[in-house]
Each structure stands twice: as C-alpha cells, then as structure tokens.
Amino acid sequence: MLRLIIGSSYANTIVVDRAGKNKSIKRAIVSAQPGDTIRIKPGKYSEGNIMLEKPLVIIGENYPVLDGDHQYEIFTIHANHVTIQGLMFINIGVASINDLAAIKILDSKYLYIRNNRFENAFFGIHMSNSSQAWIENNTLQSNVKVEHQVGNGIHLWKCNHATISNNRIKGHRDGIYFEFVTNTLITGNRSEGNLRYGLHFMFSHNNEYRDNHFVNNGAGVAVMYTTGVKMINNTFEHNWGASSYGMLLKDIRDSHVKGNRFIQNSVGIFMEGSSRIEFTENTFSQNGYAVKLQASCDANNFNRNNFSGNTFDIATNGSLVLNKVNSNYWDRYEGYDLNKDNIGDIPYRPVSMYSMIVEEMPTAVLLWRSFLVFLLDRAEKAIPAITPENLKDDFPSMKPYDFDKAGK
Amino acid sequence: MTRIVKYIFYDILRTRFILLYTAFLLVSTIALFQLDSDPGKVVMSLLNIVLMVAPLISIVFATIHFYNSYEFIELMLAQPVNRSVIFLSEYMAVAVSLCLAFIAGVGIPMLFYGAGSTGFTLLFCGVVLTLVFTSLAFLASVLTRDKAKAIGIALLFWFYFSLIYDGLLLWVVYTFSDYPLEKVTISLIALNPVDLARIIMLLRLDISALMGYTGAFYKDFLGSNAGAIASVGILLVWVIAPLAWARQIFSKKDL
Amino acid sequence: MISIKQVNKTFGKLHALNHVNLELTSGKSYALIGPNGSGKTTLMKSVLGLVVPTSGEIYFDGKLIARDWRYRDKIGYMPQIGRYPENMTIGQLIDMIKNIRQQDTLDEELIDAFKLYKMFDKRMHALSGGTRQKVSAALAFLFNTPVLILDEPTAGLDPVSVELLKEKIQDEKRRGKLLIITSHILSDLDELTTDVAYIYEGKLHYNNSIEALKAETGEKRLGKAIATMITQKQLIDSINA
C-alpha cells in the first residue's frame, strides 16, 4: 500500500503503445520525470537515435521492436540509475568511424541492462567510463559474415565494478570486449561463433571469469597485458583454425586458471610473455596442441591438470624452460608405479621431439604423421637429446583426476 | 588376356594369402572403429595402415607372387601369347586382388560405421599406393633373377619411400631453413607417392589447421582444381612409370 | 622354314651362342648335338623367343620373330625340365593350355598312349619326373604344329614310354614336320633324325645330313660318326694352332 502510494506520487508510469495515446518512446522520455517508468507495448518503433539523460526505467512488454533502420544508434545513455529491460533491438546502423550501438552508455553509474534481445546490432552494448553496471540475460545475435561490418557484442572501455552474467552472444566481431576494465565479474555467459574472439581483453586487471562457455569462435579467446585474472570453470571448446586458440595469453601475470575445460581447440592455451600463472585442475582434451608455451614465459605452474587425447601435449620453442609441470595426468605416460601410490615412478616429458623440430623449422610440418617422425619421437623418448631437459613432470599421476567429484 | 588373368587370379586365391590379408584389414579396421567412436579419428589411425602396411604387404606379396609364377610365365611364353599380355595380366591379377582385399578390408567397415568423404579419400589413397607398390614389386622382380635379391630390392623400395626419403627431406628442410621452401618441398613431396598420399590425407582432415603456414600453402595448392588434378596425375605416373619400365625390361628378358 | 642368322648370345662373360648361322627346312628332322653347356638349349629357346639374342636375327617363314609371337602357334615345345604351376592338376593344366591356344583340331594321341586321363586330378607338385615328361610331351604334340622342338624328349621316361614317344616322333617325321631334337642318347637320334647340327662352346661346328656325316667318317652308327668327326676336328685345330 505504502509502496503503491509512493510509486504513484513520486514515480509515474508512462505507457507507450503504437495503438494508444503515446506512440513515441522519444516523446515519452522527454515528458518523463527522473525515476519514472516507461512501459512499451509490443509493436515496432523506428525513432532513430534516442537520447536518455535522466534516470528512467524502460520496460518492454513482449519484446517491442526498436528498429535502427540500418542507420542509427538506438539508445545513447548518459545518466545514472537507468534500467533497460525486455526490449528487442534490430538493424543498428553500421559505421566505420562511430561505434554505433543498440545501447551506448557514457559516463554513467548504476545501470541495469536485462533480458533484452539484439539482432544484427553493429555493437550490442557499448559502455565507456562507467561503473556499477549489471548486464544480464541478454541475447545478442548477428548474421553478418564479414568482420568489418560487425562490432562487438558487449564492449566495455574504462569501466569498473560491472557484472556481465548469463548473456548469449553469437556472430559478433568479439563476443565480449574489455579495455581498461577492472574489478568486474563475468559469469555464465555463452559466447559462440563470433568472427574474431569470444572474449578479448587488454589492460583489464583483477576481473573474474567464471562458468562461461566460449565455443567455436574464429580465433578463440585472447587476453593481453593484464594482471590478476581469475579464470575459473570456463569451457573453451571447438576453437579450430590455423590461427585459433582456446585461449591466447599474452603478457598476463599473477593470475589463476582453474577448473577450465579446453576441448577440441587447435591450440588449447597459447602463451607468451606470461608469468606467475597457476594452472590447476584444468582439463585439456582432444586439442591439437594442449599448451604452446613460448620460451618468454616463466614461473608458471601447471599442477594437477588432465591431459588426454591431444595431438601434442606441450610445445615450446626454446631449450631454457623456467616453468613447472608437476603432478599432472598425461594419457601418453607409459611409466610404471611400483609402490602403488598413484604417482608414476619415472618422469614424463610432455614435449615431443617432433614438436621441437617444427618450432625450429615450420616447414618440417610436412613430415607430420610420417614413419620417420614416429621413429624420431620414439628414439627421443629413449634417449632425450633435443627436448628441454628440465621440462618434465616428476610426479605424473597414473590416473586422471576426477574434478567433477572434487567440485561437488 | 582375360583368360590369362582369370587363371592367375584363380592361382592367387588358392594361396589364401589374400584372404588372410583381407581378414587382417577387416579385424584391424573394425577394432579401431570399436575403440574410438569418432570416425574422423579412426580415419587418422587408418592412415598408418594405408601409408605403411598396404605398401609393405603389396610390394612383398607381389614380388613373391611373381617368382612363384615363373613356371606359369615360362609355360605361357612358349605359347603363342604376347609377352606384354602375359606381363600385364600378371600385374592386373595381382593388383586387382590386392586392391579388392584393401577395399573389402577397410571399405566395408567404413561403410558400416560411416566415415564420409575423408574415408573415401583414404580408400583412394590406399588403392593408389597398392597399385604403386605392386608396380615397384614388378620392377624389383624383373631387375634380378634371384628371388631373395628381388625381395631385398622390394623391401629397399618400401624402406626408401617410407623412411629414407623423409630423412633426406628433413635434411633439406634443415639445411635450407633460411629460404622459403614451400614450392620446393611440394615438388619434393611429389617425388614420393607415400608422402603425396599422406599430405593429401592430412589436408582432407581438419587437423591441417595445425600445419601452420606450410599447411595453408599446401591446402591452397592441392585444394585447387589444378592442384587436385596434378596430384592425382602424379600418383598415376607413379603407378604407370615403374610398370612401363618393368615391362620394357621383361620384354627383353631371357627365361 | 627357320633361318638363324649371325645369332650371338652372351650371358655376362659367357658366350653362349657365337655367330650361329643355321637353316632349318620343313620335312627335315634335326639332331642338335653338343656337350653339356654348349648352347643347344639356348639356341632352342632363342627360336622360341624365350631367350632374346644379343645380336643377329631369326626368321620364321621369312618373318623376323623379334617382337612377334603369333608364329609360336606353329611350334610345339617340349622343355628339358618341364616347369608348371605346381598347384594345378594335370587336367587343369591341359585345359588351360587348350583354352589359351584356342585350336579346334587337337592331337590327343599321346594323352591316350601315356594314359594321362587316369591321372587328370593329380597336382603337378605330386608328379614324378617321368610323369612330368609325359605331360610335357603330350602338350608339345597336342596342337598338331608343323614345327616340333624337343629338348631331351626321352630323358627320365620308362622304356615303354620311350618307345611310345619315339613312335610318335617317327609318325610326325613321316608327316613332313620340321623337328628339332636334342638328346644325349645318340642311338635314339639315329632313328629319329635326318640331319645333324653340332654345337660346341656356342659355335656351330658341323651341319649336314646324317648320311653325309656317315659317309665322311666312314662309320655306320651316328654315335661313332660324331666321335670320329670330333677327333678329326680337334686334330685339325691342333695342327692349325
């Protein structure tokens, strides 16, 4: 009762309906007081660019369609306390200079972008210089086939304290793109079939990525120049191609990669210039290369991970290796366990001789799967000569770890 | 010619070796399909059979068969029959029975479990390599009168194309690694039917993504119509050239 | 019918045939004689095209035989050691050769005479040397060819079969066929042949009718005549040397 009185006296609800009195969202916004709610009835609204500069709640009923006519950006928000919910955005304009977006947020705080649908948005949600935002349960899909005609799904620049959760992003350039974004939680999202990266961030420290699914993206996931990344229980799957990676780590430091699953990627993790990253309880399965560890990486620690069905377990391009790989499970391990403590008695060397040769002379890849390569790898196993002496697992696990059971 | 082929064919079937070979292929292929549910991976494992086993069995069997047929050949040569006809009949009978064994042993399980177009490429490569190594076996057989020596030459052929050649290739790549080698290596690959078949197969499988720039270059070349025709053409040359040479020697051979 | 002109054959260092010239005419029966390894079999195989001469030419009915094969239609050949696909039975073997030569008129006299019918389902590898010879002989005469080349035809045969075969050869000789026969048993050749060619170390040393040879040497029997001819030759050679 009290709420109702307060609601009616301090916050009005304006209904916008194609068939009713208020036909225009734009005019409704102009006439609304800060804190009002605008309810939009189903129908199609083509009103070009809509500026939003006061705190408002905009709620769509049954997904009214806001059409950008292949020409306009739809909402440009420059206000705190804005909610956008239940709308369907289509046909955002494509521009090469401006990053036109379905929802663009500038210098704002306390934003809720929930349950919206985006089809063929150039950029979906584009936020800069903002904080305290919740971007939840949105569905973004683009059907463009060329990279330069589509923008990123969720794009954040210089933001902090945001939560990006349970969104589904498909067919954009980058699914989720961060630059200078800090203290943000990214969880439960599914980024699939994007033309470039499923997730792409730079200079974005202390963010946490949890339970996300990155599937079948053009070049997988690329993260760069960042410290304090937490990657937990994500899945990187089917990122397959000549320059595609489950996850590309470039200059990443002091981070945790735990409980993730890397499945059927041409390269599970490619890392260069990265240090002090703890990789634990990850599963690497059926990748071309599970891990490509460039010699520029140091003090990384691979511990208690499962490696199975990968063409190459670990590849590296130098003989000096300052990283540790201990207590992992390797399906290729052929050693024995005399004292039955589940730890193999002889070390496992995850780097094959042939992968070293290919790193040295890429053309040698043409001998792949030949009898010669088979023999070379066998010989190297017996008498190690080329592969890095100290890159070995001294305590290989005899059995794969059961992470599902441990987690529950 | 068909009459003579028929007699040789009958003779080959009598030895039961071909049936054993078929059974071996059948069992291995079915076992691979049972062990792995992903047909793509099975095709990958089958590649080893195609590249190693089929050539080895073909070349050894064909050489032994040729020597075991010496009496028959001698008998035929005293009859009003053309030498080339006898020689080509021998080739036809041996090659057809080996190919049928391969197609039955590998192809039938593939059809059953479903291996798609890569499976078809694999069968094609297997058949072509069988033909190539049967030709090489006939060449080894006419080069010498001594059975043991001929088997030695045959094994040497196999060893050369399966291993030694790749060693030389690696050496070339190593020595000239500062130069762009793609065009050179692709022609070097063409000089070895086993390598050529292997590359054709690798490019058919999506693992070619792991082959980097070299892989992309090969895919571009061999994936084009001209490249596909050229590679099939080169494989056919590998079938015909040793056989034609062997026939030439055989037509002047004393028996 | 068969002209051998300037034929040379070398096996490595061995000069198996050395400028051999020989005319073989229809209606005559030739005894090809010489010690072991003198080149008799090589000469026969050259005529058959089994051995390809290093140089020189061989004509059959006026046509060069090199690269030809149809002329073998007119030749029946009995090898010294008959080598046959070991897995076949006698019946299958004979059927196969018939099938390949595709000739309507067959002469199965020897198959009957040797009673080969009884052994038709015996495999070749189970045969004795003598039976094998019988099969070779039966095959050589099977197609009623105008030329018969018989390499040691009687070797390994039992006495009864030798007589049967000799009779058969005599018959064919009377029918005016061209016969070329080698044998170590010279008394056999005395009955079976009209002419003699003597080969020694790849060279043709003598070629004339048996009558003429006997007259020259004054011997009655072929064996003696040849022995005398050889001694005479050696004597002449030693004088010349």
Side-chain angles (χ1 to χ4, degrees):
Chain A
M1 192 67 190
L2 189 71
R3 285 178 72 95
L4 203 109
I5 294 166
I6 294 166
S8 58
S9 51
Y10 298 104
N12 292 314
T13 296
I14 302 165
V15 176
V16 177
D17 189 349
R18 291 260 79 168
K21 197 174 56 165
N22 294 317
K23 291 187 170 57
S24 158
I25 302 171
K26 246 184 198 170
R27 261 176 278 142
I29 290 173
V30 170
S31 65
Q33 295 299 310
D36 281 357
T37 298
I38 295 173
R39 283 194 166 273
I40 303 173
K41 294 283 179 188
K44 194 169 177 185
Y45 301 85
S46 300
E47 301 189 31
N49 178 238
I50 303 169
M51 292 294 292
L52 216 168
E53 295 188 284
K54 51 187 134 184
L56 284 176
V57 176
I58 298 177
I59 297 173
E61 285 180 13
N62 266 330
Y63 296 103
V65 176
L66 277 68
D67 194 336
D69 294 313
H70 300 286
Q71 208 176 337
Y72 304 106
E73 172 163 296
I74 298 183
F75 282 120
T76 309
I77 301 170
H78 182 205
N80 298 337
H81 299 285
V82 172
T83 301
I84 308 272
Q85 186 178 320
L87 299 176
M88 167 110 170
F89 299 90
I90 63 170
N91 304 333
I92 310 308
V94 175
S96 49
I97 305 166
N98 295 325
D99 293 344
L100 300 183
I103 300 175
K104 183 177 279 176
I105 301 160
L106 306 153
D107 308 315
S108 307
K109 278 182 181 175
Y110 309 112
L111 303 140
Y112 301 86
I113 314 290
R114 284 194 291 246
N115 303 334
N116 298 291
R117 294 181 183 169
F118 302 75
E119 260 179 37
N120 296 325
F122 181 52
F123 279 76
I125 299 162
H126 187 295
M127 189 159 92
S128 50
N129 266 325
S130 301
S131 64
Q132 272 84 13
W134 284 261
I135 298 173
E136 298 170 345
N137 282 321
N138 299 288
T139 304
L140 299 96
Q141 173 150 8
S142 173
N143 300 319
V144 176
K145 298 277 174 277
V146 213
E147 205 177 288
H148 62 86
Q149 283 181 348
V150 64
N152 303 322
I154 297 174
H155 178 111
L156 273 64
W157 190 75
K158 281 198 178 171
C159 295
N160 60 71
H161 294 92
T163 299
I164 317 271
S165 69
N166 301 321
N167 300 287
R168 290 162 299 281
I169 311 143
K170 207 169 177 181
H172 277 269
R173 183 163 69 206
D174 290 346
I176 299 172
Y177 176 94
F178 291 174
E179 204 173 343
F180 310 112
V181 174
T182 55
N183 300 305
T184 288
L185 174 68
I186 299 91
T187 179
N189 300 288
R190 185 177 175 91
S191 185
E192 182 178 359
N194 295 294
L195 301 182
R196 198 168 65 181
Y197 299 117
L199 167 70
H200 185 190
F201 66 73
M202 288 172 282
F203 312 108
S204 295
H205 310 301
N206 305 320
N207 297 321
E208 186 171 325
Y209 305 80
R210 206 179 254 279
D211 301 312
N212 300 290
H213 223 96
F214 302 101
V215 188
N216 204 11
N217 294 296
V221 164
V223 300
M224 306 168 186
Y225 316 113
T226 298
T227 62
V229 180
K230 278 203 179 84
M231 283 266 175
I232 298 160
N233 293 345
N234 301 287
T235 301
F236 302 82
E237 206 174 352
H238 289 299
N239 297 293
W240 198 268
S243 54
S244 184
Y245 309 98
M247 182 158 70
L248 169 83
L249 299 169
K250 187 172 164 56
D251 287 274
I252 302 287
R253 287 165 219 288
D254 300 299
S255 296
H256 290 268
V257 177
K258 185 178 176 189
N260 300 286
R261 300 177 341 122
F262 297 86
I263 297 166
Q264 291 181 354
N265 304 290
S266 41
V267 180
I269 295 179
F270 181 97
M271 51 196 291
E272 57 181 29
S274 297
S275 15
R276 297 185 299 276
I277 306 178
E278 295 290 327
F279 295 89
T280 51
E281 300 185 6
N282 299 291
T283 300
F284 297 89
S285 174
Q286 297 170 46
N287 301 289
Y289 294 85
V291 178
K292 264 196 170 182
L293 187 63
Q294 300 300 94
S296 52
C297 300
D298 69 312
N300 298 290
N301 192 3
F302 287 83
N303 193 265
R304 289 170 52 82
N305 300 287
N306 282 336
F307 290 83
S308 63
N310 304 298
T311 306
F312 299 109
D313 287 327
I314 294 185
T316 184
N317 62 344
S319 55
L320 183 66
V321 178
L322 305 163
N323 303 283
K324 281 188 188 145
V325 280
N326 277 329
S327 304
N328 298 286
Y329 167 74
W330 314 89
D331 67 337
R332 273 207 191 77
Y333 182 57
E334 287 170 346
Y336 44 82
D337 177 22
L338 285 183
N339 57 359
K340 300 282 173 213
D341 61 353
N342 260 333
I343 297 168
D345 297 348
I346 52 170
Y348 175 72
R349 297 173 180 280
V351 180
S352 78
M353 178 175 180
Y354 177 58
S355 73
M356 294 295 294
I357 293 175
V358 170
E359 286 296 323
E360 189 95 344
M361 316 176 260
T363 324
V365 81
L366 60 89
L367 290 171
W368 196 22
R369 287 259 162 195
S370 66
F371 191 42
L372 176 73
V373 164
F374 171 80
L375 289 184
L376 283 181
D377 275 346
R378 284 273 136 186
E380 178 72 11
K381 267 214 174 97
I383 320 151
I386 293 186
T387 52
E389 170 57 25
N390 52 352
L391 188 69
K392 60 183 181 196
D393 189 333
D394 284 316
F395 312 103
S397 170
M398 295 302 289
K399 285 185 196 150
Y401 295 103
D402 188 350
F403 299 134
D404 285 344
K405 211 180 267 174
K408 276 164 197 166
Chain B
M1 183 151 177
T2 45
R3 280 196 298 258
I4 300 176
V5 172
K6 205 183 75 193
Y7 282 113
I8 303 167
F9 204 69
Y10 173 78
D11 187 47
I12 290 172
L13 284 185
R14 282 192 49 87
T15 62
R16 295 204 181 85
F17 177 84
I18 287 290
L19 294 178
L20 274 176
Y21 178 47
T22 313
F24 164 76
L25 290 174
L26 259 176
V27 169
S28 334
T29 313
I30 290 173
L32 286 173
F33 272 109
Q34 290 286 349
L35 287 174
D36 207 320
S37 52
D38 178 9
K41 280 201 157 171
V42 177
V43 168
M44 208 63 239
S45 316
L46 282 173
L47 185 60
N48 293 329
I49 291 187
V50 169
L51 296 179
M52 307 298 304
V53 179
L56 180 62
I57 297 285
S58 301
I59 201 164
V60 171
F61 173 76
T63 310
I64 292 175
H65 168 84
F66 192 89
Y67 279 89
N68 288 350
S69 310
Y70 242 94
E71 290 96 3
F72 178 82
I73 293 170
E74 250 180 59
L75 184 66
M76 284 302 118
L77 281 180
Q79 312 302 324
V81 183
N82 192 340
R83 269 197 184 205
S84 294
V85 167
I86 296 167
F87 187 74
L88 294 177
S89 301
E90 285 283 351
Y91 182 80
M92 286 279 287
V94 175
V96 166
S97 30
L98 282 168
C99 286
L100 285 180
F102 181 81
I103 292 171
V106 177
I108 290 174
M110 264 188 191
L111 212 66
F112 188 73
Y113 289 94
S117 67
T118 42
F120 183 78
T121 313
L122 186 85
L123 276 186
F124 170 78
C125 288
V127 166
V128 170
L129 286 182
T130 300
L131 294 176
V132 169
F133 279 84
T134 309
S135 294
L136 290 170
F138 273 60
L139 181 58
S141 302
V142 296
L143 282 176
T144 168
R145 273 195 86 95
D146 183 43
K147 185 174 176 177
K149 230 188 235 169
I151 293 174
I153 296 173
L155 286 175
L156 205 66
F157 276 144
W158 177 80
F159 216 60
Y160 174 77
F161 288 119
S162 306
L163 191 64
I164 298 171
Y165 189 88
D166 287 348
L168 296 174
L169 200 58
L170 189 62
W171 177 79
V172 168
V173 169
Y174 175 76
T175 312
F176 301 99
S177 55
D178 295 339
Y179 302 89
L181 282 174
E182 275 69 27
K183 279 180 190 158
V184 179
T185 51
I186 208 162
S187 29
L188 288 176
I189 287 285
L191 292 176
N192 180 350
V194 179
D195 278 347
L196 189 56
R198 184 169 53 79
I199 296 288
I200 289 174
M201 269 315 290
L202 285 182
L203 294 182
R204 288 285 304 172
L205 297 161
D206 53 1
I207 48 167
S208 60
L210 305 184
M211 293 174 70
Y213 174 71
T214 309
F217 177 85
Y218 285 6
K219 198 159 194 165
D220 255 19
F221 178 74
L222 292 173
S224 69
N225 277 336
I229 291 168
S231 52
V232 170
I234 288 165
L235 283 174
L236 288 182
V237 168
W238 271 109
V239 176
I240 294 164
L243 186 67
W245 188 18
R247 196 198 67 101
Q248 186 64 26
I249 296 173
F250 182 78
S251 71
K252 289 180 193 152
K253 199 174 164 67
D254 302 319
L255 285 143
Chain C
M1 190 164 202
I2 301 174
S3 328
I4 298 165
K5 288 184 176 159
Q6 288 292 325
V7 166
N8 276 297
K9 179 68 195 178
T10 51
F11 296 110
K13 280 178 187 167
L14 178 74
H15 215 143
L17 294 177
N18 195 346
H19 292 92
V20 173
N21 285 295
L22 188 58
E23 283 290 328
L24 303 165
T25 37
S26 232
K28 286 190 178 176
S29 173
Y30 294 87
L32 203 54
I33 337 182
N36 295 333
S38 58
K40 296 173 301 211
T41 302
T42 305
L43 187 61
M44 284 183 159
K45 283 189 166 183
S46 301
V47 170
L48 276 161
L50 288 173
V51 166
V52 182
T54 315
S55 67
E57 284 124 26
I58 298 171
Y59 296 88
F60 190 100
D61 274 344
K63 271 195 278 184
L64 199 62
I65 64 160
R67 305 212 159 247
D68 194 11
W69 47 272
R70 286 171 202 83
Y71 75 96
R72 284 202 288 270
D73 230 356
K74 302 196 177 78
I75 301 179
Y77 171 54
M78 180 176 172
Q80 192 171 13
I81 304 153
R83 305 212 298 157
Y84 302 101
E86 297 292 305
N87 281 323
M88 285 188 145
T89 63
I90 297 180
Q92 285 169 339
L93 179 72
I94 292 175
D95 281 347
M96 179 176 78
I97 302 288
K98 280 184 191 169
N99 190 358
I100 279 162
R101 289 185 77 140
Q102 293 275 307
Q103 195 172 303
D104 296 332
T105 53
L106 295 171
D107 175 1
E108 303 199 332
E109 220 172 88
L110 274 182
I111 298 179
D112 293 331
F114 290 147
K115 300 195 172 65
L116 287 177
Y117 283 120
K118 288 184 179 169
M119 296 187 284
F120 256 25
D121 46 8
K122 271 203 173 173
R123 300 212 176 275
M124 295 308 292
H125 61 77
L127 300 187
S128 69
T131 317
R132 206 176 263 266
Q133 280 296 87
K134 289 180 192 170
V135 173
S136 296
L139 286 174
F141 287 90
L142 189 57
F143 300 97
N144 203 9
T145 49
V147 177
L148 287 162
I149 299 179
L150 312 172
D151 199 351
E152 299 285 351
T154 55
L157 286 179
D158 60 83
V160 181
S161 303
V162 169
E163 285 315 310
L164 285 169
L165 181 59
K166 274 159 76 176
E167 254 171 57
K168 181 67 184 163
I169 296 172
Q170 291 278 18
D171 286 352
E172 298 302 317
K173 184 180 147 197
R174 274 194 289 278
R175 282 183 196 143
K177 292 194 175 171
L178 168 58
L179 287 115
I180 306 164
I181 308 171
T182 67
S183 181
H184 284 97
I185 305 159
L186 295 178
S187 59
D188 286 353
L189 293 177
D190 217 346
E191 306 163 39
L192 299 175
T193 55
T194 57
D195 284 60
V196 64
Y198 178 74
I199 298 184
Y200 179 68
E201 286 182 345
K203 278 187 188 148
L204 185 67
H205 283 267
Y206 187 84
N207 176 21
N208 210 335
S209 71
I210 291 180
E211 301 302 316
L213 174 66
K214 285 179 180 170
E216 276 173 36
T217 55
E219 297 286 348
K220 289 250 162 17
R221 281 171 37 232
L222 180 61
K224 280 268 182 199
I226 286 169
T228 315
M229 183 259 289
I230 291 168
T231 1
Q232 283 174 355
K233 262 202 172 295
Q234 278 168 350
L235 200 65
I236 294 163
D237 285 350
S238 63
I239 292 165
N240 287 347

